[in-house]
Amino acid sequence: MKHMKVGGLMTGNVVSATPETSFKEVAKLLAEHDITGVPVVDEDDHVLGVVSESDLLAAREPTARALMTEPAVTVHAEQSVADAARLMLRRGVERLPVVDEEERLVGIVTRRDLLCVYLRPDAEIRHRVREDVLSDVMGLAGDAVDVHVLDGVVTLAGRLRWQSQARLLVNLTERVDGVVAVVDRLSAQEEGTRFAPAGRPSHDAFG
């Protein structure tokens, strides 16, 4: 399945600070660029930490080195948007510096950026469910079941041979970028735990 990557949403021209940046300079950066936090980088652009508005309000330290939250919670450009969103929620942060293979700063992604995924048009979501999930992953015809999408909510209706197929279809649809929720109106003709996509060897639907 194709998932939107962090690199496609991140802001590449990142406003950053150095460990020696003063309290006032950090505050000025936030105000001038209308942002709520900046990554702190060393001379090689390695991310050391992050200074946020809450850090500034909590203390009056002289430099970014003393103000910053460390170690920084970072993400790579090739990671999926869903992974980045889960990381943000788990760590309770509003932004993630994006780093390359050598942990150097290449961009930044915010919660607002990630919310853009849920603005994906319903028609595009329907196409992705039919092509990526039903056809490419499950080896079924794109019209094997009825796929209806309204405001990001996907309704799946129809009959599949195996109950395991129905469960798998719902689980995979939930993971499609832009899907808010899935309404399951599927039925299965008979019990089963395996399915064999056309032209592919049989394999466990969950393995």
Side-chain angles (χ1 to χ4, degrees):
M1 289 176 60
K2 301 174 182 176
H3 291 288
M4 190 174 295
K5 304 298 184 182
V6 170
L9 292 178
M10 72 180 189
T11 299
N13 188 18
V14 188
V15 178
S16 61
T18 69
E20 289 71 38
T21 303
S22 70
F23 177 99
K24 287 188 176 181
E25 289 174 330
V26 173
K28 185 178 180 180
L29 285 173
L30 299 186
E32 286 184 346
H33 297 277
D34 191 24
I35 54 180
T36 60
V38 292
V40 181
V41 298
D42 63 16
E43 57 186 11
D44 295 317
D45 283 336
H46 294 124
V47 182
L48 305 175
V50 174
V51 177
S52 66
E53 286 178 331
S54 58
D55 293 325
L56 292 177
L57 293 173
R60 293 292 188 272
E61 302 293 340
T63 64
R65 185 190 302 277
L67 286 165
M68 69 183 183
T69 299
E70 58 178 328
V73 182
T74 62
V75 67
H76 289 86
E78 290 305 309
Q79 289 183 246
S80 71
V81 168
D83 287 340
R86 284 191 288 267
L87 181 59
M88 277 188 182
L89 290 173
R90 186 168 68 250
R91 300 299 295 271
V93 296
E94 296 184 358
R95 69 200 64 77
L96 292 171
V98 184
V99 297
D100 62 15
E101 296 80 3
E102 298 181 5
E103 302 300 317
R104 293 177 301 192
L105 182 68
V106 295
I108 196 161
V109 65
T110 66
R111 288 190 180 186
R112 183 178 297 178
D113 295 328
L114 300 187
L115 285 175
C116 290
V117 172
Y118 294 98
L119 299 179
R120 198 175 200 180
D122 289 341
E124 185 178 345
I125 294 174
R126 182 174 185 268
H127 179 72
R128 294 272 67 87
V129 172
R130 295 182 63 176
E131 295 299 317
D132 293 352
V133 177
L134 282 167
S135 180
D136 292 352
V137 177
M138 299 185 66
L140 301 172
D143 59 356
V145 301
D146 180 58
V147 181
H148 178 71
V149 186
L150 180 63
D151 294 335
V153 178
V154 180
T155 299
L156 302 171
R159 180 179 292 272
L160 292 170
R161 183 173 183 181
W162 305 111
Q163 288 187 354
S164 58
Q165 285 179 298
R167 291 194 297 269
L168 181 61
L169 175 55
V170 171
N171 290 339
L172 292 176
T173 299
E174 289 174 338
R175 294 167 55 189
V176 171
D177 292 332
V179 171
V180 175
V182 176
V183 178
D184 180 4
R185 293 181 180 169
L186 298 168
S187 60
Q189 182 176 338
E190 56 185 90
E191 290 288 343
T193 58
R194 303 175 72 85
F195 75 95
R200 301 182 187 182
S202 176
H203 64 281
D204 193 318
F206 296 99

